[in-house]
Amino acid sequence: MKGVVLRELGGPEKALVDEVDPPTAANGEVVVRIRAAALNRRDLFVTYGQYPGIELPSILGSDGAGVVEELPPGYRGDHGVGDDVMILPSLDWGDDPRVQSPQFRTLGVPKDGTFAELVAVPVDNVFRKPDHLSYAEAAALPLAGVTAYRAVVSRGQLQDGETVLITGAGGGVAGFAIQFAAALGAHVLVTSTRAENLELATTLGAAGGIDWSEKDWSARLKEQGAKVDVVIDSIGGEQFPRLVRLLRAGGRLVIFGATAGPVPNLVLPHLFLKQLDVRGTSMGNAQEFADMLELVTHHEIHPHLGARFPLGEVADAMRLMEAGAPAGKIILEL
């Protein structure tokens, strides 16, 4: 079979399509024939060696959707050969829903991932594809979707009628967070440095957005009467203290990334005098994935897709992601 194999580090050009041995259904795993896969920043970082636990050679890819090809011997569960499915990339989360186990891994390096014609994953990581989603849409959802769901629902505990501020509109997780928050009845505000991302956010359910490259962006939000109950942030950096000041007393600040680096000049009394909760989050477990799919199905949420590439043009797809365009998930089609 064909797969995108990383044999050495050095960037997207090292991710090469090659013939590899197909996997088999053993040790409680199911083999899925991939119809579509989706890129994540993780895949790009791995090619540069900027991710822990890399083992080479390995097949890249965390997100995928397709058809059940083979089931493990003696399997008596709900899945059947030919079923349309999607894959949860959280492996070995463990029994504690609050935090991952020490054995936790993400599918795709070191365990061979979804950028291949076939992939073997634990049967508990395979879920029925919602009927209203295409293979490409289903492939776009898993990693970013479960991360957004955990941030908004499990950790953010967002309620109907609350106001949430989501930073970095245009990113994959942020896009799903906007859709999920809007579906839950929240008033959604966003930030970005690109006008097109702010426009996209409104189509996904945001009530408004602001360009936070402007010096007085937080003051403008306050002038508009924004009283923020929850912040979902993936940026960090020098803007983080403003997010703290924007939150109303008793608010929640949920963090799943730090693309702008360390936080300078954070005034701690702004945290403790306002009784704020600061909560970290990453990925999500199988129950959260199932709950996320229920929300997506009930509200018929469709992921926003960006560019599409054939598997053989994976390096071009990664370079497009590295350049920061387009908004929406980048899909590999098989």
Side-chain angles (χ1 to χ4, degrees), residues 243-257:
L243 299 176
V244 171
R245 292 195 295 273
L246 277 171
L247 275 167
R248 67 163 72 234
R252 290 92 72 197
L253 202 165
V254 182
I255 307 160
F256 68 89

Side-chain angles (χ1 to χ4, degrees), residues 41 90-92 118 177-178 198 220 235 248 265 291 312 334:
R41 288 272 169 192
S90 297
L91 303 177
D92 298 321
L118 298 169
I178 293 166
L198 296 176
R220 284 183 55 200
I235 310 297
R248 67 163 72 234
N265 304 319
D291 292 342
L334 285 80

Side-chain angles (χ1 to χ4, degrees), residues 4-11 14-16 42-43 45-60 108-112:
V4 177
V5 184
L6 186 68
R7 290 193 167 88
E8 59 180 316
L9 304 176
K14 301 299 183 181
L16 303 176
R42 178 184 191 273
D43 303 306
F45 295 156
V46 166
T47 68
Y48 286 110
Q50 299 171 345
Y51 209 87
I54 296 173
E55 297 177 10
L56 303 180
S58 289
I59 295 174
L60 294 166
V109 185
K111 180 172 174 56
D112 287 342

Side-chain angles (χ1 to χ4, degrees), residues 52-116:
I54 296 173
E55 297 177 10
L56 303 180
S58 289
I59 295 174
L60 294 166
S62 300
D63 282 340
V67 179
V68 174
E69 180 87 359
E70 183 183 354
L71 292 163
Y75 176 73
R76 296 292 185 270
D78 296 331
H79 299 300
V81 173
D83 286 355
D84 288 336
V85 295
M86 51 198 297
I87 297 168
L88 165 65
S90 297
L91 303 177
D92 298 321
W93 180 280
D95 297 329
D96 189 345
R98 298 173 302 171
V99 65
Q100 307 97 312
S101 74
Q103 291 75 39
F104 175 79
R105 301 166 291 151
T106 303
L107 179 65
V109 185
K111 180 172 174 56
D112 287 342
T114 57
F115 293 177

Side-chain angles (χ1 to χ4, degrees), residues 14 82 96 110 112 120 133 147 157 159 188 195 198 204 246 254 260 266-267 303 313 328:
K14 301 299 183 181
D96 189 345
D112 287 342
L133 297 182
T147 300
Q157 298 178 322
Q159 304 298 311
V188 184
L198 296 176
L204 297 178
L246 277 171
V254 182
L266 179 60
V267 181
E313 297 178 11

Side-chain angles (χ1 to χ4, degrees), residues 72-264:
Y75 176 73
R76 296 292 185 270
D78 296 331
H79 299 300
V81 173
D83 286 355
D84 288 336
V85 295
M86 51 198 297
I87 297 168
L88 165 65
S90 297
L91 303 177
D92 298 321
W93 180 280
D95 297 329
D96 189 345
R98 298 173 302 171
V99 65
Q100 307 97 312
S101 74
Q103 291 75 39
F104 175 79
R105 301 166 291 151
T106 303
L107 179 65
V109 185
K111 180 172 174 56
D112 287 342
T114 57
F115 293 177
E117 293 176 321
L118 298 169
V119 62
V121 295
V123 68
D124 291 342
N125 285 67
V126 175
F127 291 75
R128 178 185 171 184
K129 179 180 75 66
D131 292 337
H132 74 286
L133 297 182
S134 67
Y135 287 124
E137 290 173 323
L141 187 58
L143 191 151
V146 75
T147 300
Y149 184 89
R150 182 174 173 86
V152 170
V153 179
S154 303
R155 302 293 282 156
Q157 298 178 322
L158 186 66
Q159 304 298 311
D160 182 11
E162 288 189 321
T163 295
V164 59
L165 176 65
I166 299 170
T167 66
V173 177
F176 287 123
I178 293 166
Q179 290 177 290
F180 297 164
L184 292 170
H187 181 74
V188 184
L189 303 173
V190 299
T191 69
S192 180
T193 57
R194 296 186 177 185
E196 60 268 28
N197 290 344
L198 296 176
E199 293 174 5
L200 172 62
T202 62
T203 70
L204 297 178
I210 196 160
D211 182 346
W212 71 349
S213 64
E214 299 178 12
K215 185 177 181 180
D216 60 348
W217 70 268
S218 58
R220 284 183 55 200
L221 274 181
K222 288 183 177 180
E223 289 170 0
Q224 295 171 17
K227 297 183 182 300
V228 180
D229 300 286
V230 180
V231 168
I232 309 292
D233 182 49
S234 62
I235 310 297
E238 63 181 13
Q239 302 284 16
F240 190 86
R242 295 190 185 189
L243 299 176
V244 171
R245 292 195 295 273
L246 277 171
L247 275 167
R248 67 163 72 234
R252 290 92 72 197
L253 202 165
V254 182
I255 307 160
F256 68 89
T259 57
V263 175

